[in-house]
């Protein structure tokens, strides 16, 4: 009788709106109540409780997995009302790992066979949501029966469920596929669209397997006037045309007709998308599509404008003219209030960029960047940067212009892309010698700009500017001003690591000035006091500016400051001496000359794959599999076990030992006991630190190509025509670089291989489905063929045999291999016969001539 | 006691009482189907979300597997993005590689998440279709209807979509199916409410 006092869902909802307890405590009280009620023996009490729970779960995100069993109990009720609540709870909360999932099979079967069509529909809906492999396998006969149901209400729902069943249990295709294909010819529009929907999904997973059905699809494409069906069909054909180009010729015409005929924008858009993405070789169709796009672009409706731009960007790679024709509309869209539209327009504009118009487009974009919101402004900046730097600045001819553009970008108030600009400033400095004078000019302007110092996003730019002006100081017009800019008191605002770069640049400038001073002394032998004055002035400015930093907290800053001060201390005496004695052998003179020498060595860019070109030193055997390490060197690993050496050390240690042992040609049969201990240790280590292990295929000599000399690290530079450098590098780069690169690449290759693996897995999954479809189609076709041949009415099908298309060999092989595996498992005679049919069908896909 | 209290529900936000369908703009239908039926197909809708202007969730339906935690995160993220969009912007949001198509009716945002290559205009049409069916069922539907008849909105959605695809396009058919089911439920309730049944239960 407790259900008389039970709160219904409505009560709960109303209570919720009036509660004063606060949401969370109200929910927890309601939950308490539900927990109690759901245990009741009375099914209506139980179902009401469950109903309330599913409300809380849907709206307030309450966990309801604990009630899984109760949901099952409710579903087993004979009342429709209860069943509906139960199924709703199940679809909402069940997932593949739900433990009571096993118990639902019989209930579902019972409901699928029910005479009440609404109960059937509940069960179908449930299956469509929670279907697992087991459920799909056990219930596929029922679904098959329902596919032929006389009630269209049931039949269309069964069709909707089929996809899930196929996906989970590909063998079901054999049973159900024929009925599915038959439904393509139905007159009921609901069922037809459901079936077309299923094929749309199947085709998007594996177009080749649906290719034989092309004539049927084509017929519907021509005949149907139902826009919803047509949209799905267009999707199917755009997938099919990508694997069978000859289809394009055939379908282009009806698609154009639909495009001209219909007023429905969604259908027009689907036609446009199909044409620009899959039928891009058919001029007439593309022209019509572009005309339609233009109509979209001038609409006031933001949706159509957005979609028009989107369609253009699909067309851009193959039909740039379409974009260029609509350039005005695209530029106009840049000032649209909708960020999506703006972004789409920006991408299009970037697609248009060529050598000739890069400066014009950049000018337009910079103007937009100045007046747009921070988000879009940075989007513009990053697109310009990435397009211009593509392929080592392929499209840039005038580097002076580009460097100035970079400087301008830094001054855009919202700019936050400091790091990218920093990278390009330095990169251009190293790669393009001719750009250096302009680079130094721009850098100096950046250094003295007070606005930049205050913006922490732009600090990286300053660091690049200071480095550039130090490194290429010889192009500077006025080193004195440069130094003043570098030691200005406001540099306090910079983080220490950038200040360190500033000080280093000061050092370079100082060395350059002193060097030229000394050499001038040498040659002219007469010293003018003005030169002396100015050099002394310079030294003083530096000393005053750097002095406070010698007590800086950051060690890097402190050390560099002390270096500079020490150098100044030494040089100062000699400068003074030099004026009087003109002594070339002065210590400062020699040191300066030495330093200048060092700094004059040019830095060049480093190829991204420089590390790959490092040849393996003699005696290091990278190919050897570390897996058998434990057999050989268990003895050596054992002592390491106990001490505190870090894990990576352990391994390198053991490897080196291993090599020594190899050289000594010790027998590999070492003591087995410690070997075991260490093997488990190693295995565990491998498990935990797998990413640090080298993958075996990476060191394959074939993949590296022929062995090479020690890095011609600047190979990249010689590949670039723009780049007149004959690059040399400093020793420190050579040393520090390899470690980093090696680690990264190791990680990357691991990732890619694992990705490849998962990809392969998914491929095989899809494959099993597509194989099943193909086999089903074959059976289907044969039956049909027989029928039609008897009627002697259709020549088309007879011709089928002659037009066979060979699939690419490798996939064939893969399939054969799979087939073998499957063949071993099957035992019955009948089944193995079918397998052989499958094998033959997978090798050849039939395309009826009708379409070709 | 709760029942009593429920009689004095305070007058709620006025906007909530406004019919959703008021804001229907007929010219914004992108698909003027010649047949009154809006045929089905795999819309491949990943989930359906109804959020009020205040950010309150009114209905959720998930067609792809999401854990409870992910669900709340998705709701939080999306309502943040969508509620902040101005009225004159386009109805699509790119989100985690998917597209979310949304449309505002009075105080409610109807959102559906689809794959990037699906047809956005078609989904807008599905949303519109759903609202029209709701309107027909409740008789000029407003947000309050959906709040108190949460489950009915659910059942209607279930008739409209299956496995993330639209399956029934005729408004009439949906209305017929739903009312048939309602009748079944009513009949059962009557039976359960009858004195003989209660006596049978008690004895």
């Amino acid at each position: 009788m407790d259900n008389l006092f039970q709160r219904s869902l409505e009560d709960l909802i109303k209570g919720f709106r009036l509660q004063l307890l606060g949401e969370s405590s109200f929910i927890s009280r309601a939950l308490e109540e539900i927990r109690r009620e759901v245990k009741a023996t009375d099914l209506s009490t139980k179902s009401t409780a469950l109903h309330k729970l599913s409300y809380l779960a849907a709206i307030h995100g309450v966990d309801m997995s604990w009630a899984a069993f109760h949901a099952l109990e409710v579903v087993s009720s004979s009342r429709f009302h209860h069943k509906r609540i139960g199924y709703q709870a199940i679809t909402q909360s069940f997932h593949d790992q739900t433990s009571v999932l096993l118990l639902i099979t019989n209930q579902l079967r019972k409901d699928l066979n029910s005479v009440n069509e609404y109960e059937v529909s509940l069960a179908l809906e449930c299956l469509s949501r929670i279907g697992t492999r087991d459920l799909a396998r056990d219930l596929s006969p029922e679904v098959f029966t329902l596919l032929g149901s006389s009630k269209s209400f049931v039949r269309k729902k069964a069709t909707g469920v089929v996809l899930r069943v196929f996906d989970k249990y590909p063998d079901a295709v054999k049973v159900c596929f024929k009925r599915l294909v038959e439904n393509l010819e139905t007159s009921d529009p609901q069922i037809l669209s459901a079936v077309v929907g299923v094929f749309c999904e199947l085709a998007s997973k594996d177009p080749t397997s649906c290719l034989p059905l092309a004539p049927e699809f084509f017929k519907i494409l021509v005949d149907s006037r139902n826009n919803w069906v047509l949209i799905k069909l267009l999707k199917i054909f755009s997938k099919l045309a990508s694997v069978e180009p000859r289809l394009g010729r055939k379908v282009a015409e009806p698609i154009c007709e639909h495009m001209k005929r219909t007023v429905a924008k969604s259908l027009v858009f689907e036609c446009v998308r199909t044409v620009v993405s899959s039928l891009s070789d058919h001029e007439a169709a593309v022209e019509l599509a572009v005309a339609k796009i233009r109509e979209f672009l001038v609409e006031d409706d933001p949706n159509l404008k957005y979609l028009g731009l989107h369609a253009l960007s699909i067309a851009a790679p193959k039909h740039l003219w379409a974009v260029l024709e609509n350039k005005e509309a695209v530029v106009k869209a840049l000032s649209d209030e909708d960020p999506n539209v703006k972004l789409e327009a920006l991408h299009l504009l970037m697609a248009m960029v060529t050598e000739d118009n890069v400066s014009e487009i950049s000018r337009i974009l910079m103007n937009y960047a100045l007046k747009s919101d921070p988000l879009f402004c940075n989007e513009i900046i990053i697109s310009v940067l990435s397009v211009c730097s593509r392929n080592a600045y392929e499209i840039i001819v005038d580097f002076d212009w580009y460097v100035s553009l970079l400087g301008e970008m830094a001054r855009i108030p919202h700019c936050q892309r400091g790091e990218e600009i920093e990278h390009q400033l330095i990169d251009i400095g190293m790669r393009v010698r001719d750009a250096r004078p302009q680079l130094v000019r721009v850098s100096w302007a950046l250094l003295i700009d007070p606005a930049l110092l205050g913006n922490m996003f732009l600090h990286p730019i300053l660091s690049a500017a200071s480095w550039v002006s130090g490194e290429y100081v010889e192009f500077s017009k006025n080193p004195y001003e440069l130094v003043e800019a570098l030691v200005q008191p406001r540099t306090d605002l910079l983080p220490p690591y950038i200040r360190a770069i500033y000080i280093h640049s000061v050092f370079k400038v100082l060395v350059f000035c002193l060097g030229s001073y000394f050499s001038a002394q040498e040659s002219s032998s007469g010293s003018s006091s003005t030169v002396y004055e100015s050099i002394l002035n310079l030294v003083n400015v530096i000393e005053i500016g750097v002095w406070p930093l010698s007590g800086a907290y950051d060690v890097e800053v402190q050390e560099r400051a002390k270096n500079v001060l020490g150098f100044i201390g030494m040089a100062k005496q000699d400068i003074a001496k030099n004026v009087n004695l003109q002594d070339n052998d002065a210590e400062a003179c020699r040191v300066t000359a030495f330093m200048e020498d060092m700094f004059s060595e040019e830095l060049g860019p480093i190829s991204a794959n420089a590390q790959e070109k490092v040849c393996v030193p003699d005696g290091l055997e990278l190919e050897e599999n570390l897996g058998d390490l434990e057999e050989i060197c268990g003895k050596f690993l054992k002592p390491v076990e106990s001490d505190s050496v870090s894990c990576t050390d352990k391994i390198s240690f053991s490897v080196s030992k291993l090599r020594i042992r190899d050289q000594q040609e010790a027998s590999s049969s070492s003591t087995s006991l410690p070997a075991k201990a260490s093997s488990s240790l190693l295995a565990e280590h491998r498990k935990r630190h797998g990413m640090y292990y080298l993958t075996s295929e990476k060191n394959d000599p074939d993949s590296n190509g022929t062995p090479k000399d020690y890095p011609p690290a600047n190979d990249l530079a010689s590949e670039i025509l723009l780049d007149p450098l004959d690059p040399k590098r400093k020793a420190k780069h050579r040393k520090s670089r390899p470690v980093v690169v090696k680690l990264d690449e190791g990680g990357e290759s691991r990732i890619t291989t694992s990705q490849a693996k998962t990809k392969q897995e998914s491929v095989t999954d899809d494959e099993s489905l597509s194989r099943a479809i193909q086999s089903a189609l074959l059976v289907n076709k044969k039956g049909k063929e027989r029928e039609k041949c008897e009627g002697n009415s259709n020549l088309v099908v007879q011709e089928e045999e002659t037009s066979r298309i060979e699939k690419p060999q490798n996939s064939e092989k893969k399939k054969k291999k799979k087939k073998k595996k499957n063949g071993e498992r099957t035992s019955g005679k009948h089944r193995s016969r079918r397998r052989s049919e499958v094998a033959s069908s997978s090798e050849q896909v039939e395309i009826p001539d009708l379409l070709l | 006691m709760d029942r009593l209290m429920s009689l004095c529900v305070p007058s709620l936000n006025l906007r909530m009482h406004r019919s959703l369908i008021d804001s229907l703009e007929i010219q914004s239908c992108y698909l003027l189907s010649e047949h009154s039926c809006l045929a089905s197909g795999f819309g491949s809708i990943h989930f359906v979300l109804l959020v009020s202007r205040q950010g309150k969730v009114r209905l959720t339906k998930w067609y792809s597997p999401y854990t409870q935690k992910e669900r709340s995160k998705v709701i939080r993220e999306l309502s943040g993005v969508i509620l902040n969009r101005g009225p004159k912007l386009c109805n699509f949001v790119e989100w985690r590689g998917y597209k979310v198509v949304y449309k505002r009716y009075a105080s409610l945002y109807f959102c559906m998440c689809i794959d990037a290559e699906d047809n956005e205009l078609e989904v807008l049409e599905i949303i519109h279709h759903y609202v029209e069916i709701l309107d027909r069922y409740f008789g000029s539907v407003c947000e309050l209807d959906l709040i108190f008849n949460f489950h009915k909105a659910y059942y209607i959605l279930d008739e409209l979509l299956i496995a993330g695809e639209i399956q029934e396009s005729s408004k009439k058919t949906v209305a017929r199916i739903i009312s048939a089911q309602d009748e079944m439920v009513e009949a059962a309730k009557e039976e359960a409410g009858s004195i003989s049944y209660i006596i049978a239960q008690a004895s």
Side-chain angles (χ1 to χ4, degrees):
Chain A
M1 293 308 285
D2 48 351
N3 64 344
L4 276 188
F5 303 101
Q6 189 185 16
R7 288 205 289 180
S8 68
L9 175 62
E10 202 177 351
D11 299 332
L12 180 78
I13 296 171
K14 281 177 182 161
F16 210 96
R17 300 176 68 79
L18 296 169
Q19 46 89 13
L20 306 164
L21 298 166
E23 202 168 278
S24 59
S25 57
F26 186 85
I27 289 176
S28 62
R29 277 178 67 170
L31 267 180
E32 227 169 81
E33 204 176 85
I34 289 168
R35 271 178 204 275
R36 207 173 49 238
E37 287 166 3
V38 89
K39 288 190 190 110
T41 49
D42 176 30
L43 269 178
S44 63
T45 312
K46 199 187 272 288
S47 69
T48 307
L50 194 65
H51 202 187
K52 288 191 281 186
L53 182 61
S54 48
Y55 168 80
L56 289 178
I59 302 296
H60 299 286
V62 170
D63 174 51
M64 64 179 290
S65 54
W66 56 269
F69 187 73
H70 299 299
L72 279 183
E73 286 177 314
V74 171
V75 163
S76 66
S77 161
S78 58
R79 287 174 194 284
F80 177 73
H81 177 54
H82 297 162
K83 259 190 207 309
R84 186 148 78 160
I85 291 172
Y87 274 123
Q88 193 196 338
I90 288 174
T91 48
Q92 220 175 314
S93 64
F94 276 31
H95 48 85
D96 289 357
Q97 277 79 43
T98 303
S99 52
V100 294
L101 203 60
L102 295 170
L103 303 176
I104 204 176
T105 317
N106 276 326
Q107 185 60 44
L108 276 175
R109 184 174 292 137
K110 204 174 133 213
D111 286 335
L112 285 175
N113 289 324
S114 162
V115 285
N116 183 342
E117 55 182 329
Y118 299 113
E119 284 182 8
V120 179
S121 106
L122 284 181
L124 281 172
E125 255 159 35
C126 181
L127 187 61
S128 81
R129 225 1 234 103
I130 66 166
T132 58
R133 193 187 146 76
D134 289 345
L135 280 174
R137 189 190 55 221
D138 296 343
L139 297 175
S140 58
E142 274 75 18
V143 174
F144 170 73
T145 317
L146 293 175
L147 272 179
S149 164
S150 57
K151 294 169 187 159
S152 88
F153 172 68
V154 172
R155 203 151 99 191
K156 86 182 178 216
K157 288 213 175 189
T159 312
V161 173
V162 154
L163 193 66
R164 174 106 189 183
V165 175
F166 282 3
D167 192 42
K168 296 287 173 189
Y169 181 62
D171 281 353
V173 173
K174 282 185 204 133
V175 187
C176 301
F177 202 73
K178 200 168 168 225
R179 284 224 166 142
L180 206 59
V181 175
E182 278 166 10
N183 278 341
L184 271 179
E185 281 156 19
T186 177
S187 58
D188 186 321
Q190 302 294 326
I191 296 175
L192 177 66
S193 53
V195 178
V196 171
V198 170
F199 279 111
C200 178
E201 270 327 86
L202 288 177
S204 74
K205 278 199 180 120
D206 177 35
T208 0
S209 63
C210 290
L211 215 47
L213 285 172
E216 277 86 348
F217 295 144
F218 186 75
K219 195 163 156 278
I220 304 172
L221 180 72
V222 175
D223 293 342
S224 177
R225 284 291 171 272
N226 183 331
N227 292 337
W228 298 78
V229 172
L230 286 174
I231 288 177
K232 296 295 169 197
L233 273 174
L234 286 169
K235 281 189 195 300
I236 294 178
F237 274 114
S238 86
K239 291 286 176 343
L240 294 189
S242 62
V243 288
E244 176 48 82
R246 285 179 290 173
L247 258 181
R249 219 184 315 145
K250 190 79 187 170
V251 295
E253 198 186 320
I255 290 181
C256 285
E257 242 149 59
H258 284 306
M259 229 186 309
K260 284 177 200 153
R261 171 189 65 83
T262 185
V263 281
K265 294 280 192 270
S266 54
L267 181 59
V268 174
F269 177 66
E270 198 56 49
C271 289
V272 167
R273 178 150 56 182
T274 308
V275 169
V276 294
S277 61
S278 303
L279 308 176
S280 49
D281 303 330
H282 302 268
E283 287 301 326
V286 172
E287 267 165 36
L288 184 61
V290 172
K292 289 286 175 191
I293 292 177
R294 203 171 306 132
E295 280 173 29
F296 277 19
L297 289 178
V298 295
E299 292 265 2
D300 282 335
D301 188 331
N303 289 340
L304 296 182
K305 214 186 286 176
Y306 170 75
L307 291 176
L309 292 170
H310 187 69
L312 267 189
S313 68
I314 300 174
K318 282 193 177 159
H319 298 280
L320 199 61
W321 59 269
V323 188
L324 292 171
E325 247 175 38
N326 293 300
K327 192 177 165 190
E328 261 175 52
V330 174
V331 172
K332 206 177 138 215
L334 273 180
S335 49
D336 201 276
E337 54 182 321
D338 191 329
N340 289 353
V341 174
K342 284 199 284 191
L343 219 57
E344 211 55 64
L346 175 64
H347 292 159
L348 276 176
L349 217 52
M350 292 334 288
M352 272 190 261
V353 170
T354 61
E355 219 173 275
D356 306 318
N357 61 12
V358 58
S359 74
E360 182 203 343
I361 290 181
S362 305
R363 174 76 23 237
I364 296 171
L365 286 177
M366 282 305 115
N367 285 338
Y368 275 103
L370 275 172
K371 56 191 177 190
S372 58
D373 58 304
L375 204 68
F376 187 57
C377 167
N378 283 299
E379 204 61 50
I380 291 179
I381 291 174
I382 198 71
S383 335
V384 172
L385 285 174
S386 68
V387 167
C388 289
S389 66
R390 201 168 43 202
N391 267 345
Y393 311 96
E394 196 177 37
I395 54 168
I396 306 291
V397 178
D398 182 358
F399 271 92
D400 284 359
W401 163 79
Y402 186 58
V403 169
S404 317
L405 182 76
L406 289 178
E408 250 174 74
M409 276 183 198
R411 290 200 181 76
I412 294 173
H414 293 308
C415 177
Q416 295 175 354
R417 295 293 176 178
E419 273 166 34
E420 187 56 31
I421 298 176
E422 170 196 27
H423 171 251
Q424 293 202 4
L425 282 174
I426 294 176
D427 201 39
I428 292 175
M430 291 195 294
R431 283 175 194 271
V432 193
R433 177 176 286 183
D434 295 341
R436 284 175 194 169
Q438 178 66 9
L439 201 57
V440 171
R441 270 193 296 280
V442 168
S443 297
W444 181 72
L446 289 173
L447 286 176
I448 57 170
D449 192 326
L452 265 59
L453 276 167
N455 184 345
M456 69 176 244
F457 290 114
L458 303 181
H459 286 170
I461 303 180
L462 287 176
S463 118
S466 66
W467 182 84
V468 163
S469 39
E471 183 66 25
Y472 306 116
V473 60
E474 66 264 31
F475 299 108
S476 169
K477 284 201 181 101
N478 191 340
Y480 180 76
E481 278 179 353
L482 188 60
V483 164
E484 267 189 331
L486 286 172
V487 298
Q488 61 180 305
R490 285 198 65 203
T491 53
D492 273 352
L493 296 165
L494 293 171
Y497 70 97
I498 295 180
R499 296 202 83 179
I501 296 171
Y502 266 66
I503 298 170
H504 199 60
S505 293
V506 169
F507 191 48
K508 284 177 185 169
V509 177
L510 178 65
V511 167
F512 172 76
C513 292
L514 281 180
S516 41
Y517 171 68
F518 285 137
S519 56
Q521 292 280 309
E522 212 174 302
S523 55
S524 67
S525 73
S527 66
S528 72
S529 61
T530 51
V531 176
Y532 170 71
E533 285 289 319
S534 67
I535 200 80
L536 200 62
N537 218 351
L538 181 84
V539 170
N540 284 336
V541 167
I542 294 174
E543 201 171 9
I544 294 165
V546 174
W547 178 253
L549 296 178
S550 62
Y553 186 70
D554 189 87
V555 280
E556 181 80 15
V557 176
Q558 193 185 22
E559 189 179 356
R560 293 198 180 186
K562 288 212 163 133
N563 283 346
V564 174
L565 291 174
F567 185 68
I568 287 175
M570 176 190 70
K572 238 182 170 177
Q573 298 171 354
D574 284 357
I575 296 168
K577 237 191 274 169
N578 235 15
V579 177
N580 307 326
L581 304 176
Q582 293 173 11
D583 182 3
N584 290 354
D585 298 332
E587 197 182 3
C589 194
R590 270 187 293 115
V591 173
T592 311
F594 174 70
M595 291 282 190
E596 239 189 330
D597 256 11
M598 199 180 80
F599 286 136
S600 69
E601 196 169 350
E602 267 187 19
L603 299 173
I606 298 170
S607 155
N609 29 10
Q611 178 61 27
E612 278 173 21
K613 293 173 184 163
V614 179
C615 69
V616 180
D618 282 344
L620 181 63
E621 292 181 37
L622 290 173
E623 278 102 75
E624 204 151 318
N625 191 355
L626 291 178
D628 12 292
L629 202 63
E630 75 268 5
E631 286 178 17
I632 311 162
C633 64
K635 210 162 107 193
F636 295 104
L637 271 172
K638 207 195 167 195
V640 190
E641 211 176 318
S642 53
D643 68 28
S644 61
V645 185
S646 79
C647 293
T648 30
D649 282 354
K650 249 186 235 175
I651 294 309
S652 59
F653 167 72
S654 58
V655 171
S656 61
K657 288 273 188 176
L658 166 68
R659 206 150 26 85
I660 294 165
R661 247 187 100 86
D662 265 1
Q663 281 163 358
Q664 288 168 348
E665 292 184 41
S667 70
S668 61
S669 57
S670 47
T671 49
S672 61
L673 202 79
K676 253 181 202 165
S678 65
S679 79
S680 68
L681 185 80
L682 194 68
E684 200 193 348
H685 183 269
R686 196 173 249 273
K687 216 160 77 187
R688 276 170 50 202
H689 301 277
M691 58 179 292
Y692 298 112
Y693 280 82
L694 296 172
T695 46
S696 50
E697 68 266 276
K698 208 200 145 234
N699 301 316
D700 194 37
D702 294 336
S703 69
N704 280 349
T706 50
K708 283 166 190 125
D709 291 329
Y710 198 71
N714 296 320
D715 247 19
L716 190 66
S718 56
E719 285 160 19
I720 303 156
L721 292 172
L722 279 171
D723 189 330
L725 293 189
D726 174 31
K728 288 171 250 165
R729 285 177 315 135
K730 280 193 176 174
K732 68 174 179 184
H733 279 255
R734 207 175 283 163
K735 268 182 203 157
S736 63
R737 192 79 185 166
V739 184
V740 180
V741 173
K742 197 169 185 176
L743 270 178
D744 282 350
E745 283 182 354
E748 261 169 33
S749 72
R750 249 190 73 83
I751 289 163
T752 48
T753 51
S754 73
Q755 272 173 348
K757 229 180 252 171
T758 53
K759 212 176 177 185
Q760 228 168 20
E761 274 162 23
S762 71
V763 162
T764 55
D765 258 16
D766 280 354
E767 224 168 58
S768 59
L769 179 58
S770 61
R771 210 180 56 239
I773 293 174
Q774 279 170 9
S775 81
L777 269 175
L778 193 78
V779 173
N780 212 24
K781 281 279 159 185
K782 282 201 171 154
K784 235 188 193 175
E785 205 174 301
R786 224 175 293 125
E787 254 169 53
K788 289 194 177 172
C789 285
E790 279 163 17
N792 259 344
S793 59
N794 207 335
L795 289 169
V796 175
V797 188
Q798 285 173 325
E799 280 170 33
E800 266 173 28
E801 294 292 315
T802 53
S803 63
R804 295 196 161 171
I805 295 161
E806 297 276 323
K807 279 189 100 183
Q809 285 221 319
N810 54 352
S811 68
E812 209 172 284
K813 263 184 212 160
K814 229 191 264 168
K815 279 186 181 164
K816 270 187 186 160
K817 218 185 263 171
K818 279 218 63 153
K819 216 108 318 133
K820 238 180 237 167
K821 230 193 266 166
N822 284 333
E824 283 164 11
R825 263 188 277 141
T826 54
S827 50
K829 263 188 183 175
H830 175 71
R831 285 197 85 175
S832 60
R833 192 174 59 82
R834 185 167 262 173
R835 288 287 173 192
S836 65
E837 265 178 21
V838 174
S840 70
S841 77
S842 69
E843 280 158 34
Q844 287 150 341
V845 176
E846 293 174 16
I847 287 250
D849 266 353
L850 172 70
L851 286 166
L852 308 174
Chain B
M1 208 174 71
D2 275 318
R3 276 181 196 279
L4 281 179
M5 277 164 73
S6 67
L7 290 176
C8 47
V9 176
S11 71
L12 295 155
N13 188 346
L14 265 184
R15 212 182 286 109
M16 284 186 154
H17 294 298
R18 224 179 90 204
S19 164
L20 297 181
I21 217 86
D22 278 355
S23 63
L24 284 187
E25 301 143 31
I26 301 304
Q27 83 278 7
S28 77
C29 296
Y30 298 100
L31 198 139
L32 311 165
S33 40
E34 286 87 344
H35 312 247
S36 71
C37 52
L38 169 114
S40 84
F42 275 83
S44 335
I45 296 163
H46 297 295
F47 54 81
V48 177
L49 214 62
L50 262 67
V51 190
S52 78
R53 231 172 69 85
Q54 288 79 24
K56 294 253 187 237
V57 182
R58 295 301 180 210
L59 188 140
T60 56
K61 176 89 188 177
W62 309 87
Y63 295 103
S64 305
Y66 289 88
T67 64
Q68 196 71 51
K69 213 172 168 188
E70 284 166 341
R71 290 177 186 185
S72 347
K73 199 174 160 219
V74 167
I75 293 170
R76 240 193 346 267
E77 251 178 59
L78 273 181
S79 50
V81 173
I82 289 172
L83 297 184
N84 286 328
R85 281 174 69 84
K88 281 184 190 163
L89 310 186
C90 70
N91 295 81
F92 321 125
V93 179
E94 278 169 42
W95 171 80
R96 294 203 201 160
Y98 297 106
K99 272 197 185 122
V100 177
V101 178
Y102 72 93
K103 187 150 174 68
R104 182 178 162 183
Y105 288 95
S107 55
L108 263 190
Y109 285 85
F110 290 70
C111 320
M112 292 188 181
C113 175
I114 52 170
D115 285 329
E117 67 268 21
D118 276 324
N119 193 317
E120 296 90 341
L121 299 178
E122 187 191 10
V123 178
L124 270 182
E125 200 66 15
I126 293 174
I127 293 178
H128 187 78
H129 192 65
Y130 181 44
V131 176
E132 279 188 332
I133 294 173
L134 286 174
D135 195 57
R136 191 175 279 216
Y137 182 78
F138 289 105
S140 138
V141 65
C142 67
E143 195 181 338
L144 268 186
D145 288 328
L146 298 187
I147 293 172
F148 288 115
N149 297 291
F150 152 83
H151 49 294
K152 297 221 166 119
Y154 239 113
Y155 300 145
I156 293 174
L157 189 62
D158 278 347
E159 289 309 323
L160 194 66
L161 302 173
I162 187 166
E165 53 162 327
I166 176 159
Q167 50 146 352
E168 182 54 69
S169 51
S170 153
K171 281 166 233 164
K172 232 183 256 171
T173 314
V174 174
R176 190 170 47 76
I177 293 167
I178 293 289
S179 66
Q181 295 184 11
D182 282 353
E183 270 164 32
M184 283 171 65
V185 172
E186 282 308 312
K189 268 190 185 161
E190 256 170 46
E191 191 197 321
S194 67
I195 296 174
S196 58
Y197 178 78
I198 295 178
I199 293 172
Q201 286 270 303
S203 59

